[in-house]
Amino acid sequence: MPVFVIAKPLADGGARDIVLEAVTLDQWRGGYPQAIAELGGEIIGNAADGMGLSLLIARPGKWPEGSAGRALSGAGGADARSVEVGAHASRFDAASLRVD
């Protein structure tokens, strides 16, 4: 399960390797994970809300803002709206830090 630390945004110098984007859509469609994976991202959370479906997407920071919403629209999503909600450095595997 992904774990995120919530903090006030940095004025400058924050890592933007991975950007978290919240996307709202009409409903779930099976092509969403593939559409996001093809662009190097992943859907890390989803929840139904009173307006439809909300997804939390981790995408490469090099994508332009709104790319996740456009990819999901291309996979059949209707009324996709997205907003950037955070960013972080690339993940790493702590096992690689182990000294034998």
Side-chain angles (χ1 to χ4, degrees):
M1 172 189 290
V3 176
F4 297 97
V5 175
I6 308 299
K8 289 174 32 176
L10 297 173
D12 61 355
R16 293 188 51 82
D17 298 332
I18 304 296
V19 170
L20 300 175
E21 193 168 330
V23 181
T24 58
L25 302 135
D26 61 329
Q27 66 181 17
W28 178 262
R29 289 182 173 78
Y32 291 166
Q34 182 64 29
I36 296 300
E38 286 175 2
L39 296 172
E42 65 179 313
I43 298 171
I44 58 175
N46 67 75
D49 65 19
M51 306 283 284
L53 175 68
S54 294
L55 300 176
L56 182 61
I57 295 172
R59 63 169 176 82
K62 63 185 176 190
W63 290 4
E65 189 171 342
S67 295
R70 286 189 293 280
L72 295 169
S73 291
D79 196 26
R81 292 164 284 161
S82 64
V83 63
E84 184 178 312
V85 295
H88 60 80
S90 293
R91 298 175 190 159
F92 65 92
D93 182 0
S96 67
L97 301 175
R98 184 178 49 201
V99 177
D100 293 325

